[in-house]
């Protein structure tokens, strides 16, 4: 009896955290969508006196930085970059990682050995260093940041997909499809992939959060696109005023924290939702 | 009846590498399956009968020997060349729970073989799926459901429909009922028996249960340690076993002993 109440409470709690995550995430998305409507000027434009605390100056709700730029505008425009970079890089990593993982897991043997050695090569290099190197080689732009983050994100997806494919490949229904004479590509992507995708979905949300944080770190270090403002750029530019005007880095820092938190909450919720054992309990 | 058998297997060997070295589960198996015949392959677990089935279905390349379908050699063909012969030989798996893709609807599962081999127009495919569902005893309006909504016996009916929709000449049944309840086993066996006369399909029925196959197999082949040790009409093997292994199998069948005193009455009491 108490166990059931406890489980019910926990399920409600999980749903509640996922709702919170989705709410926060849609808030960030809304900011990204309305940025140019609410702030028609460039976020790099000076709109008032410098170093105005939040509420101190009428034109800037969240205050201004050392050069008199609107922090609220930076947060709204920065949301665009964060979401764009996060989702685009993970989308690229997904395509690549799923392909590599699917072929390695399905065919096994030397295909698996070769593909996994390459994957491990990428995994052994520290992610952030690799991202810096890629941006340094390609040059600082939004597109190259996306490429760099995709390059560091795909190995994790490839390994996960490989594992799932190796297991599902042995199931009788896959053997049955071979007996039917179905082509390998169709077995891989029509039969196996839909059964392997739940773990990948959960991992993707976490990877998006990681990518957003890494993008900020790159911008903070000055490896970001100099033409667009991002949360990382704002933190980087505000660190000189850390002692007298700490709000300059705290506000974008909070935006980052909440976005990453939201994605993790959604990932956690999806994990419960897509977990076949939990789902079965609900159905039964 | 033509001279060439539907399926001719000659001196088939299968071996493969496992962690502890090479194993050799099929050691020179030969048999013929005639059109319209039901051949039961009976043996204990680990005697190589499933490996033999996998070799026939092209899931496990044989290391030596010959497999011919109506005189065409299929042993050693690659998967692309084998595709041409797939519609002639299909199979029903043992485990009704893992043999159906959990994310496909029943009508998709049954239609898939026609899609793969691009047989018939879409409308005709749908008609045949409904016809097949009816034949295996599934209500036609259950097509939109998913496999997890069905019982083991119903799932095995889906598996049979999926295997037979291509109108194969040969159906390999690898322990198709051993995962089912005894009452459901009889239903599935009856269904297979009815479908045989209806569709003119030949069965290679693999089982460990001699009593089960004795009722409906035309011939029985006893398999022991990778070889067929005895073949013959079911009743003959049953009544006059030649090989020591066959005798042991028959002796192992539990027989109700009416001379023994009944156990004391046992009453189930509520807690």
């Amino acid at each position: 009896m108490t166990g059931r109440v406890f489980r019910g409470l926990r399920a409600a709690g999980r749903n509640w955290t996922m709702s919170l995550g989705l709410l926060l995430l849609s808030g960030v998305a809304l900011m990204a969508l309305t940025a140019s409507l609410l702030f028609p000027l460039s976020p790099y434009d000076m709109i008032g006196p410098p170093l105005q605390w939040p509420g101190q100056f009428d034109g800037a709700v969240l205050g201004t930085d050392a050069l008199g730029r609107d922090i609220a505008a930076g947060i709204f425009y920065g949301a665009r970059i964060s979401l764009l970079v996060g989702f685009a890089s993970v989308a690229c990593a997904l395509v690549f990682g799923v392909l590599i993982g699917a072929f390695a897991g399905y065919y096994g043997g030397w295909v698996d050995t070769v593909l996994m050695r390459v994957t491990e090569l990428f995994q052994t290099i520290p992610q952030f260093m690799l991202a810096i190197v890629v941006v340094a080689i390609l040059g600082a732009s939004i597109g190259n940041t996306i490429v760099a983050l995709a390059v560091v994100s795909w190995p994790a997806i490839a390994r996960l997909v490989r594992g799932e494919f190796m297991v599902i490949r042995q199931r009788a229904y896959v053997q049955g499809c071979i007996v039917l004479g179905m082509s390998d590509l169709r077995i891989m992507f029509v039969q196996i992939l839909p059964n392997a995708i739940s773990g990948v979905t959960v991992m993707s949300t976490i990877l998006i959060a990681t990518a957003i944080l890494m993008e900020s770190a790159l911008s903070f270090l000055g490896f970001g696109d100099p033409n667009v403002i991002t949360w990382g750029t704002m933190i980087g530019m505000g660190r000189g005023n850390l002692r007298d005007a700490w709000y300059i880095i705290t506000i974008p820092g909070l935006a980052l924290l909440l976005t990453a938190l939201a994605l993790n909450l959604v990932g956690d919720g999806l994990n419960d939702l897509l977990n076949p054992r939990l789902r079965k309990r609900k159905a039964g | 009846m033509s001279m060439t058998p539907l399926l001719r297997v000659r001196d088939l060997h299968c071996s493969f590498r496992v962690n502890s070295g090479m194993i050799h589960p099929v050691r020179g198996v030969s048999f013929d399956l005639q059109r319209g015949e039901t051949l039961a392959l009976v043996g204990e677990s680990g005697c190589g009968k499933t490996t033999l089935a996998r070799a026939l279905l092209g899931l496990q390349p044989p290391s030596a020997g010959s497999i011919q379908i109506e005189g065409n050699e299929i042993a050693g063909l690659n998967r692309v060349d084998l595709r041409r012969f797939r519609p002639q030989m299909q199979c029903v798996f043992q485990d009704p729970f893992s043999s159906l893709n959990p994310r496909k609807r029943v009508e998709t599962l049954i239609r898939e073989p026609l899609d793969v081999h691009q047989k018939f127009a879409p409308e005709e495919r749908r008609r045949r799926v409904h016809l097949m569902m009816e034949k295996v005893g599934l209500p036609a309006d259950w097509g939109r459901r998913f496999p997890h909504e069905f019982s083991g016996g119903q799932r095995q009916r889906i598996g049979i429909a999926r295997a037979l929709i291509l109108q194969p000449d040969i159906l390999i049944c690898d322990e198709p009922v051993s995962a089912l309840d005894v009452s459901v086993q009889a239903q599935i066996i009856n269904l297979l028996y009815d479908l045989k006369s209806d569709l003119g399909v030949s069965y290679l029925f693999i089982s460990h249960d001699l009593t089960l196959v004795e009722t409906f197999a035309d011939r029985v082949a006893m398999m022991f340690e990778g070889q067929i040790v005895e073949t013959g009409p079911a009743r003959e093997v049953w009544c006059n076993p030649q090989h020591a292994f066959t005798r042991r199998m028959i002796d192992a069948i539990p027989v109700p002993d009416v001379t023994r005193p009944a156990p004391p009455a046992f009453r189930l009491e509520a807690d």
Side-chain angles (χ1 to χ4, degrees):
Chain A
M1 186 63 203
T2 41
R4 250 175 65 190
V5 171
F6 182 66
R7 263 216 308 273
L9 274 178
R10 221 169 60 169
R14 289 260 166 70
N15 283 338
W16 182 78
T17 52
M18 189 177 174
S19 315
L20 180 69
L22 284 173
L23 196 72
L24 283 171
L25 208 59
S26 31
V28 178
L30 198 68
M31 289 191 339
L33 287 171
T34 55
S36 44
L37 283 173
L38 293 175
F39 304 95
L41 294 174
S42 157
Y44 275 115
D45 285 346
M46 212 171 120
I47 58 134
L51 299 177
Q52 299 293 303
W53 281 69
Q56 199 180 349
F57 175 68
D58 273 349
V61 189
L62 294 177
T64 62
D65 70 359
L67 294 172
R69 294 175 295 209
D70 189 353
I71 289 180
I75 294 293
F76 273 62
Y77 280 93
R80 280 188 177 177
I81 305 304
S82 286
L83 289 185
L84 172 70
V85 169
F87 279 89
S89 67
V90 172
C92 296
L94 263 180
V95 172
F96 205 64
V98 166
L99 277 176
I100 299 276
F103 276 89
Y106 185 80
Y107 286 108
W110 67 266
V111 179
D112 183 40
T113 310
V114 170
L115 291 176
M116 282 303 110
R117 285 303 96 81
V118 174
T119 310
E120 279 157 18
L121 189 72
F122 278 86
Q123 277 194 309
T124 47
I125 307 171
Q127 288 200 335
F128 193 60
M129 294 304 282
L130 183 58
I132 290 179
V133 169
V134 173
V135 174
I137 293 171
L138 298 177
S141 76
I142 285 292
N144 292 342
T145 307
I146 292 172
V147 170
L149 294 176
V151 166
V152 302
S153 304
W154 73 265
I157 296 174
R159 289 207 74 95
L160 180 72
V161 171
R162 168 189 178 253
E164 295 272 350
F165 267 62
M166 284 174 80
V167 173
I168 298 174
R169 196 200 186 293
Q170 298 305 322
R171 301 249 163 94
Y173 66 84
V174 175
Q175 306 284 309
C177 290
I178 297 175
V179 173
L180 279 182
M182 206 177 274
S183 69
D184 286 347
L185 284 179
R186 186 157 172 182
I187 293 177
M188 277 193 262
F189 296 109
V190 180
Q191 305 287 335
I192 302 183
L193 190 59
N195 288 292
I197 209 71
S198 62
V200 179
T201 314
V202 174
M203 186 183 243
S204 301
T205 54
I206 311 296
L207 282 175
I208 293 171
T210 315
I212 288 175
L213 291 177
M214 262 199 279
E215 185 279 325
S216 298
L218 283 174
S219 300
F220 175 82
L221 293 177
F223 289 106
D225 192 329
N227 303 313
V228 294
I229 200 151
T230 80
W231 295 340
T233 324
M234 293 169 72
I235 296 174
M237 290 187 305
R239 74 184 190 280
N241 302 91
L242 183 57
R243 293 213 304 184
D244 49 332
W246 50 264
Y247 64 90
I248 298 177
I249 65 164
T250 307
I251 293 168
L254 275 176
L256 264 178
L257 172 77
L258 290 177
T259 310
L261 180 72
L263 284 161
N264 278 286
L265 290 177
V266 172
D268 204 34
L270 277 178
N271 191 26
D272 290 349
L273 212 66
L274 298 173
N275 188 328
R277 266 185 308 175
L278 292 175
R279 196 175 45 195
K280 210 177 271 169
R281 189 193 291 160
K282 211 173 75 182
Chain B
M1 194 176 271
S2 64
M3 285 304 287
T4 38
L6 189 54
L7 180 69
R8 173 191 283 262
V9 177
R10 284 293 173 272
D11 198 28
L12 194 73
H13 287 261
C14 285
S15 54
F16 46 84
R17 194 178 298 280
V18 291
N19 288 335
S20 51
M22 292 292 285
I23 56 168
H24 198 161
V26 177
R27 305 164 183 244
V29 165
S30 304
F31 65 86
D32 289 338
L33 179 68
Q34 302 294 344
R35 193 170 279 280
E37 187 185 32
T38 299
L39 174 63
L41 194 66
V42 181
E44 56 191 352
S45 23
C47 73
K49 46 192 202 300
T50 294
T51 308
L52 176 62
R54 288 176 57 84
L56 296 178
L57 292 165
L59 291 170
Q60 164 84 47
S63 43
S66 147
I67 305 168
Q68 292 179 354
I69 295 180
E70 291 182 314
N72 299 306
E73 183 62 46
I74 62 160
L77 288 187
N78 62 35
R79 280 186 50 190
V80 178
D81 292 331
L82 205 53
R83 202 160 289 164
R84 196 156 52 89
F85 296 101
R86 292 294 194 193
Q88 279 184 276
M89 183 153 70
Q90 284 297 312
C91 71
V92 175
F93 287 96
Q94 174 175 11
D95 181 4
F97 291 91
S98 73
S99 59
L100 300 172
N101 188 337
R103 296 200 177 237
K104 302 267 178 206
R105 292 179 196 282
V106 169
E107 58 187 11
T108 314
L109 285 167
I110 300 175
R111 201 192 57 232
E112 240 168 11
L114 296 178
D115 295 345
V116 168
H117 290 279
Q118 299 183 345
K119 288 198 165 179
F120 314 116
E123 197 49 49
E124 174 68 7
R125 284 181 200 172
R126 216 175 354 256
R127 198 184 68 79
R128 280 177 184 258
V129 168
H130 284 152
L131 201 69
M132 198 37 112
M133 286 182 71
E134 201 177 294
K135 275 197 177 132
V136 299
L138 292 168
D141 55 339
W142 286 8
R144 303 291 297 164
R145 299 194 184 184
F146 287 99
H148 72 83
E149 298 173 57
F150 293 86
S151 69
Q154 287 168 330
R155 284 177 189 221
Q156 211 55 316
R157 288 174 194 267
I158 301 171
I160 292 169
R162 182 173 155 92
L164 287 177
I165 196 148
L166 282 170
Q167 298 170 307
D169 298 314
I170 308 162
L171 188 68
I172 297 181
C173 305
D174 185 4
E175 304 256 12
V177 297
S178 61
L180 305 175
D181 293 344
V182 178
S183 58
V184 184
Q185 284 190 355
Q187 292 171 15
I188 297 294
I189 295 289
N190 284 336
L191 172 67
L192 286 170
Y193 190 81
D194 294 344
L195 287 171
K196 183 187 161 185
S197 45
D198 192 3
L199 301 172
V201 58
S202 308
Y203 290 134
L204 178 62
F205 193 95
I206 297 175
S207 178
H208 62 272
D209 189 348
L210 199 54
T211 44
L212 186 78
V213 302
E214 189 252 356
T215 52
F216 82 106
D218 300 312
R219 277 194 310 140
V220 175
M222 301 297 294
M223 199 166 167
F224 179 64
E225 291 191 340
Q227 287 172 323
I228 290 179
V229 294
E230 182 167 0
T231 49
R235 192 134 290 276
E236 210 166 283
V237 171
W238 181 258
C239 298
N240 187 18
Q242 297 300 308
H243 193 269
F245 169 69
T246 316
R247 279 199 292 277
R248 228 175 64 206
M249 283 289 275
I250 291 173
D251 286 344
I253 296 166
V255 181
D257 184 356
V258 288
T259 59
R260 231 174 71 182
F266 177 73
R267 229 176 52 220
L268 198 65
E269 281 173 34
D271 297 331

